[in-house]
Amino acid sequence: KQQTKCIAYADDITISIYNKSLRNLMIILDHFHEIAGLEVNLGKTEILSKADKLFASEKLKRVNTTKILGVFISLNNILKKETKNAVTNAFSSAEKFILKSSSFRARARNIETFIYSKIIHHPRHENLHKTFLRKVQSKIVDVFCLYKKHNVKKEILALPIEEGGVNLKNFSKYYLAAKIMNLKFLTDNPKERRYIQDFKKSKTFSKLTRNLEKDHIGILELETEKLTIQYHSNTLNITKETTSKEIYNFLNDSLNGPMSLKIEATATKQKITPDILYTVTKSIWKNKNLSSFDKNYIYCFLMNSYLDKQDKWLKNLVIQPLCFACETEFETWDHLMFSCKKLKPLTVKLNIFSWKEIWLDRSCLSQKLLVAIMLSSWTESIGNYLKYFLEQMNEKIIPITVASLPDE
């Protein structure tokens, strides 16, 4: 086998050496500094080693985990065999419960009942890496969609049924709720009073709190029959009657704060009330007049996820901010929808002159036009997407011809 002792990528160098060779490496780096005038930043240099004592350990940053060319490396075993086997067995039996004839809501309920319950038994006692949690969540979405290509985001599937989602549980939140339930079982047992105080002083508890803090969860109080957690700016007092479902809903619903801020930012830009956008956001996934392709783009647009060309220019992301169609004025979403000379005939034909009229359009033709204009703006092409939109409009008996668009 070929041994690789040195990997150089851009301005980072990874060197694999024995502990006894670390002193010689530091001497070589000092000689390199004297000759070339280039110095290694020891403050940012990380060392991964199981040795108790290392040369120049006060200058180097010791870590237990690191990444080399995108590959996660740890001194500890990331996953135990039980966890791997539990995940593998759960997905191997998924075909029994996730059928083609089942509805989306039935699939989500079966995944929670038959797959999550099997997977979570072992991982809830471990500190899993976020990469593994994302892979499991991605695998769950693939099972939910019967391994077919889909355009729906994971966050949208996790929305409650009342808001247009299918209530597919987010595995990362489900995993965190299970770990908090472990602490609840500890505090509920009156025989563990002495153990709780010793547990709070242990390395296991400090490691647990560090991992929870990475997910913005803080343990405010941990006593007998008393457990209080904080997630972002929200707090939850956990009692004997608190269930894992309530903890999951607390973690999941706490994300609605940032979502509401995004919708309010979009409403401010469009000079309309947020209530209109809230209604559209909740009902968009039930709308049968829009394809899933259009729904994803409209949802992200409502979440204020897309910058217009003028904002990109201000952030030095594009060379110039002129409209791709008229090439005379700065390109903003307001300009494209209502002011552009070459695109205005389309909005006039659809009889839309404000954002309020776009979102209240029950035929959804104006929302399809918005998606077509967004895609045309990103590709800086006035032809393909808008011509496809016009062909759809002809089927709706709207007198617009493809010839009305100028050639590229």
Side-chain angles (χ1 to χ4, degrees):
K1 296 182 179 180
Q2 182 180 358
Q3 293 184 353
T4 303
K5 296 184 178 181
C6 182
I7 301 174
Y9 182 76
D11 57 346
D12 293 334
I13 298 177
T14 302
I15 302 175
S16 301
I17 57 174
Y18 292 104
N19 292 332
K20 60 184 180 181
S21 303
L22 181 59
R23 181 176 180 277
N24 295 333
L25 176 62
M26 300 296 290
I27 295 174
I28 293 173
L29 293 176
D30 289 337
H31 289 327
F32 176 77
H33 170 60
E34 295 173 359
I35 297 173
L38 301 176
E39 186 177 4
V40 176
N41 189 350
L42 296 179
K44 293 184 178 180
T45 302
E46 298 179 349
I47 183 168
L48 184 72
S49 176
K50 290 185 177 181
D52 296 330
K53 295 182 180 180
L54 292 172
F55 179 79
S57 58
E58 68 279 0
K59 298 180 181 179
L60 303 174
K61 181 181 178 181
R62 297 197 64 170
V63 295
N64 293 324
T65 59
T66 187
K67 272 189 177 182
I68 300 177
L69 297 180
V71 179
F72 185 80
I73 297 176
S74 173
L75 291 176
N76 305 318
N77 293 326
I78 303 175
L79 294 175
K80 294 182 180 178
K81 291 183 179 180
E82 292 83 357
T83 301
K84 292 182 179 180
N85 294 335
V87 174
T88 304
N89 295 335
F91 285 118
S92 62
S93 60
E95 297 179 356
K96 300 178 182 178
F97 314 108
I98 313 302
L99 306 176
K100 293 182 179 180
S101 58
S102 303
S103 64
F104 286 159
R105 296 177 184 178
R107 293 180 196 174
R109 181 63 64 86
N110 290 341
I111 287 175
E112 179 183 357
T113 305
F114 300 107
I115 297 181
Y116 277 12
S117 58
K118 292 181 178 180
I119 294 179
I120 207 65
H121 179 69
H122 292 288
R124 65 195 178 103
H125 300 294
E126 299 183 36
N127 295 316
L128 300 181
H129 197 261
K130 289 185 178 180
T131 304
F132 173 75
L133 297 175
R134 284 195 294 267
K135 287 181 178 179
V136 173
Q137 180 65 30
S138 179
K139 183 74 173 178
I140 289 170
V141 174
D142 290 339
V143 170
F144 175 82
C145 297
L146 303 177
Y147 297 96
K148 294 181 180 179
K149 187 177 181 181
H150 56 87
N151 295 318
V152 182
K153 289 192 172 183
K154 302 171 187 176
E155 294 81 3
I156 298 166
L157 292 174
L159 288 175
I161 297 174
E162 296 78 12
E163 299 182 13
V166 295
N167 203 21
L168 179 65
K169 294 292 188 290
N170 184 293
F171 184 73
S172 298
K173 298 290 185 299
Y174 201 86
Y175 163 73
L176 293 173
K179 293 188 76 65
I180 295 172
M181 284 297 294
N182 288 343
L183 296 176
K184 175 183 175 296
F185 295 146
L186 178 64
T187 58
D188 288 346
N189 192 347
K191 297 181 180 180
E192 302 291 351
R193 292 181 180 178
R194 296 181 181 179
Y195 177 72
I196 290 177
Q197 301 303 324
D198 296 336
F199 175 68
K200 291 167 65 176
K201 299 176 183 178
S202 64
K203 293 182 179 180
T204 304
F205 179 73
S206 61
K207 188 176 181 179
L208 173 64
T209 53
R210 285 197 303 269
N211 283 280
L212 290 176
E213 286 173 358
K214 292 179 181 178
D215 294 293
H216 310 287
I217 298 176
I219 301 175
L220 302 182
E221 187 177 15
L222 180 63
E223 300 293 341
T224 305
E225 299 182 356
K226 292 182 181 179
L227 177 59
T228 305
I229 62 171
Q230 180 177 1
Y231 185 57
H232 292 292
S233 58
N234 302 323
T235 58
L236 176 65
N237 294 321
I238 299 175
T239 62
K240 287 185 177 181
E241 292 74 21
T242 305
T243 62
S244 59
K245 184 177 181 180
E246 293 175 350
I247 297 175
Y248 173 84
N249 291 334
F250 167 74
L251 298 175
N252 196 45
D253 295 341
S254 298
L255 295 179
N256 292 336
M259 183 181 294
S260 62
L261 293 177
K262 293 177 182 179
I263 293 179
E264 290 174 2
T266 304
T268 303
K269 288 183 179 180
Q270 299 178 1
K271 298 180 181 179
I272 58 177
T273 58
D275 295 340
I276 297 175
L277 298 185
Y278 281 127
T279 304
V280 175
T281 305
K282 292 179 180 180
S283 61
I284 187 173
W285 305 109
K286 301 177 184 179
N287 196 326
K288 297 181 180 180
N289 295 328
L290 292 172
S291 64
S292 59
F293 180 83
D294 295 330
K295 290 177 183 178
N296 280 296
Y297 281 108
I298 293 172
Y299 179 84
C300 293
F301 184 84
L302 292 171
M303 293 296 110
N304 198 27
S305 301
Y306 300 139
L307 296 174
D308 54 36
K309 198 172 183 180
Q310 176 177 296
D311 291 336
K312 291 179 181 178
W313 177 67
L314 293 174
K315 295 178 180 292
N316 295 324
L317 299 176
V318 294
I319 300 175
Q320 50 85 17
L322 296 180
C323 173
F324 77 96
C326 64
E327 297 181 351
T328 56
E329 299 183 26
F330 281 15
E331 182 182 300
T332 61
W333 299 127
D334 289 336
H335 168 75
L336 290 174
M337 294 301 298
F338 310 113
S339 304
C340 182
K341 296 178 181 179
K342 292 188 177 181
L343 299 177
K344 193 171 183 179
L346 297 173
T347 56
V348 172
K349 288 288 185 180
L350 294 175
N351 197 26
I352 52 174
F353 303 98
S354 65
W355 288 107
K356 183 178 180 179
E357 294 174 347
I358 290 176
W359 302 124
L360 297 180
D361 181 12
R362 292 186 177 181
S363 65
C364 299
L365 298 180
S366 55
Q367 297 174 18
K368 291 182 178 180
L369 175 62
L370 172 62
V371 174
I373 289 178
M374 281 195 297
L375 296 173
S376 300
S377 171
W378 296 335
T379 58
E380 295 189 354
S381 170
I382 201 172
N384 297 333
Y385 294 106
L386 286 173
K387 287 181 179 179
Y388 175 71
F389 169 77
L390 291 176
E391 290 174 359
Q392 289 182 316
M393 295 308 96
N394 288 333
E395 296 178 0
K396 301 288 183 180
I397 319 177
I398 293 181
I400 307 177
T401 60
V402 179
S404 63
L405 285 176
D407 296 332
E408 295 182 26

